[in-house]
Amino acid sequence: QVQLVESGGGLVQPGGSLRLSCVASGFAFSSYTVAWYRQVPGKQRELVATISSALSTTYPDSVRGRFTISRDNAENTVYLQMNRLKPEDTAVYYCRASRYEPGSLVGYWGQGTQVTVAS
């Protein structure tokens, strides 16, 4: 059974830090690109960070220098370290694992974890 389970969200003050985890099971995790997305009600889901199977990473300008994505393939886990959090980082954070297979893009989503940045 394919699963992606996020954890680590919560309430944090502006300027604080959180580390999110995404634990995968049921598929060949190490060969997948994993991305973190976030979404607030009424807005489109926003890409936050990606890490490829070759460990290359990308970030949008909104989080670059504050967020760091990493992975531990032995533990089938991807992390998102979030520092210097801002109220505008408040969202539900989702992880997604994907890879191209002949003729299709295969992808899986987690259920999300809420991050709230407020004083």
Side-chain angles (χ1 to χ4, degrees):
Q1 180 183 2
V2 171
Q3 274 195 311
L4 288 171
V5 180
E6 301 98 332
S7 63
L11 173 63
V12 63
Q13 292 188 341
S17 298
L18 281 175
R19 189 176 81 156
L20 306 183
S21 300
C22 172
V23 180
S25 60
F27 62 100
F29 173 78
S30 63
S31 66
Y32 281 65
T33 290
V34 180
W36 285 96
Y37 289 78
R38 65 187 180 188
Q39 189 170 27
V40 296
K43 292 192 175 181
Q44 285 191 331
R45 200 164 285 191
E46 176 191 14
L47 179 63
V48 173
T50 65
I51 185 164
S52 73
S53 57
L55 304 183
S56 62
T57 59
T58 64
Y59 306 92
D61 289 344
S62 57
V63 307
R64 187 176 293 114
R66 299 189 299 122
F67 291 10
T68 302
I69 189 170
S70 61
R71 68 191 299 164
D72 182 345
N73 288 334
E75 298 293 331
N76 281 0
T77 301
V78 167
Y79 303 98
L80 185 68
Q81 178 67 43
M82 305 186 295
N83 299 326
R84 305 200 310 275
L85 283 161
K86 305 175 181 180
E88 52 263 43
D89 295 318
T90 296
V92 178
Y93 283 70
Y94 300 88
C95 68
R96 173 173 170 80
S98 62
R99 75 175 183 184
Y100 285 98
E101 297 183 352
S104 67
L105 175 65
V106 176
Y108 308 109
W109 287 98
Q111 84 289 347
T113 185
Q114 176 70 47
V115 171
T116 302
V117 185
S119 54

